[in-house]
Amino acid sequence: MRNVWHELSGLLLPVVCAGCGRPRTELCPACAAALHGGPAHRVRPSPRPPGLPAVYAAAPYENAVRAVLLAHKERGALGLAGALGRALAGSVRAGTGRPGGAGPLLLVPVPSARSSTAARGHDPVRRIAAAAARDLRRRGLPARVLPLLRQRRAVADQSGLGARQRRANLAGALELTAEGGRLVRHGLFRHGRVILVDDLLTTGSTLAEAARAVGEARGAGRQPSVHGLCRAAVVAASPSAFEINRN
């Protein structure tokens, strides 16, 4: 019912840019350019959590970009998924190097808690990942979304937690789904490039936990193997992660 209400409200309520409030457009050219108008960059949180793979982001999480992400995630502006997916696709391309790399791009979204998905009426990361895969395929890059991860246990709300508290909160929280385990046993990761995807990077704890879960399922066990297994891509990252990379 909530998705139906989102669609109906889009017809009945005045349309304004989610980034700046400009009337009669869901995303104005200026805010779209802030989101995906430039090249994606490697980002590094500080402190960097153990096991975090290389992460690429399209834009700093501030101003219009922050407003657009929140509109899609918390206010159900589902029409923004295409623009966010385009930004995520740019991050994926930056993280995978030359287009001629071996194997398809396997986008593994970080799972949302069931309670969050139910409250929002949609899974924002999975929706953005699907849009990113479509954008990549239009560019001639084989890509598919594989929702291989699930929460093993409940975690506390991350807001207000520091980097160390977030690592402790998420430690051991993710695991492969039954289908994910089956695909791993059948050699899925030997034939494709695994990209962990999320909407936002702050401390990096969530992506580090996702990399651990995937690496553990492969029997990687050691950090170098986990780093070699996959990379990560996000729509946006905290401005400090961009600044650290520049320095």
Side-chain angles (χ1 to χ4, degrees):
M1 284 298 296
R2 183 167 179 175
N3 283 344
V4 173
W5 166 245
H6 289 157
E7 294 174 5
L8 291 175
S9 62
L11 296 173
L12 298 174
L13 299 177
V15 176
V16 298
C17 174
C20 66
R22 181 179 297 182
R24 293 194 294 274
T25 178
E26 193 167 32
L27 186 65
C28 75
C31 292
L35 181 62
H36 51 60
H41 294 275
R42 174 90 181 263
V43 290
R44 297 176 176 86
S46 181
R48 178 175 177 167
L52 180 69
V55 185
Y56 291 79
Y61 184 63
E62 59 186 359
N63 304 326
V65 173
R66 181 178 184 274
V68 171
L69 271 169
L70 287 175
H72 175 261
K73 187 173 188 174
E74 304 297 349
R75 297 199 298 278
L78 306 184
L80 295 170
L84 292 168
R86 180 178 172 187
L88 180 61
S91 300
V92 170
R93 295 197 309 275
T96 52
R98 300 177 64 180
L105 297 170
L106 309 176
L107 309 188
V108 178
V110 171
S112 300
R114 290 182 180 178
S115 58
S116 297
T117 300
R120 293 174 179 139
H122 73 122
D123 186 330
V125 176
R126 191 164 173 178
R127 184 179 294 273
I128 294 170
R134 289 193 294 270
D135 185 272
L136 291 164
R137 290 194 296 269
R138 283 195 294 267
R139 296 170 186 270
L141 299 173
R144 57 187 293 205
V145 177
L146 293 176
L148 303 181
L149 294 171
R150 66 184 177 193
Q151 286 199 333
R152 174 186 289 166
R153 59 170 177 78
V155 297
D157 185 355
Q158 296 272 81
S159 60
L161 298 182
R164 182 176 297 180
Q165 293 170 314
R166 288 190 178 208
R167 289 200 300 272
N169 184 41
L170 290 167
L174 300 180
E175 64 181 0
L176 256 67
T177 63
E179 176 67 7
R182 185 187 68 80
L183 292 172
V184 169
R185 289 192 297 273
H186 284 78
L188 169 72
F189 296 150
R190 291 198 300 269
H191 306 293
R193 290 167 287 172
V194 178
I195 312 294
L196 300 171
V197 296
D198 204 351
D199 56 352
L200 174 65
L201 175 136
T202 49
T203 67
S205 299
T206 302
L207 286 170
E209 170 59 16
R212 180 210 60 77
V214 173
E216 185 179 86
R218 291 181 77 241
R222 295 172 295 181
Q223 294 301 337
S225 298
V226 174
H227 281 283
L229 166 67
C230 61
R231 294 195 175 188
V234 296
V235 173
S238 61
S240 62
F242 276 86
E243 292 299 326
I244 290 166
N245 187 53
R246 293 191 188 104
N247 297 332

